[in-house]
Amino acid sequence: RGGALAELPHKHDLDYKRVLGANCEIVVGYIPIPVGMAGPITLNGESVYIPMATTEGCLVASTNRGCKAITQGSGAVSSILRDGITRAPCVRLPSAKEASEVFLWVERPENFQKLKEVFESTTSFGKLLGARPTVAGKNVYIRLRCFAGDAMGMNMISKGSLAVIECLRQVFPNISLVALSGNMCTDKKAAAINWIEGRGKSVVIEATIPKGVVRSTLKTS
């Protein structure tokens, strides 16, 4: 409706120079979200707090109660099993035989080093950790596993993935890029390959809450 943006905050509090060209396009304002603080929770022997941006009533309170119960017990212990975000370009060759040749080329350790070098030439932080090809007819899906530091890193990794494709094109001139994301990453949806191989940080975490704490803090049995 007309005037819907009239009351949208847009002055003083937001540094547009940090946003334009980086976080958002065609910026017209911003929406503030309340931030609550849950904790402390004892994690790996350290007391930490958890900031939570939300408009859902009772969410911070219930999380805080859970943090209290865990801390009153033995605290939580966590381990990171894997740390690697993925992007899986899909490329097509004129024949299945040529697709299999790409598969075998990528599988060789010395060739992976070439892909790693071109990938990492595009970023100061990203590291290419692995490249797993899968052939489906004339198509090859190359699942690139990458370290992105503290960032989620998809833009960073997509740029590096394009460099990988260009490197492959020098060896296989007939290769064509079908999609930068061939849906084997797999992004924004449940997928068996993510469960088996991981995507992002794969974490195991454990906590024991004594019976008395369940009764006194969680008010249940």
Side-chain angles (χ1 to χ4, degrees), residues 41-108:
I41 181 173
T42 301
L43 178 63
N44 293 339
E46 181 181 354
S47 184
V48 297
Y49 289 84
I50 306 169
M52 301 178 67
T54 179
T55 56
E56 180 182 340
C58 299
L59 178 62
V60 177
S62 59
T63 302
N64 191 62
R65 188 161 51 251
C67 291
K68 181 180 179 181
I70 290 171
T71 298
Q72 287 175 327
S74 58
V77 179
S78 68
S79 298
I80 297 177
L81 304 181
R82 301 186 190 92
D83 188 358
I85 194 66
T86 55
R87 178 58 89 203
C90 174
V91 295
R92 181 169 296 159
L93 283 300
S95 67
K97 181 179 184 302
E98 290 172 274
S100 66
E101 290 172 355
V102 172
F103 175 98
L104 294 171
W105 190 93
V106 173
E107 286 275 279
R108 297 189 186 100

Side-chain angles (χ1 to χ4, degrees), residues 86-143:
T86 55
R87 178 58 89 203
C90 174
V91 295
R92 181 169 296 159
L93 283 300
S95 67
K97 181 179 184 302
E98 290 172 274
S100 66
E101 290 172 355
V102 172
F103 175 98
L104 294 171
W105 190 93
V106 173
E107 286 275 279
R108 297 189 186 100
E110 63 272 20
N111 293 333
F112 171 74
Q113 287 302 316
K114 296 176 183 177
L115 300 181
K116 181 177 175 67
E117 289 175 9
V118 298
F119 180 97
E120 294 178 7
S121 70
T122 67
T123 171
S124 300
F125 302 100
K127 304 295 180 184
L128 184 61
L129 303 177
R132 179 173 177 175
T134 298
V135 174
K138 300 178 183 180
N139 293 343
V140 186
Y141 300 83
I142 307 170
R143 195 171 193 263

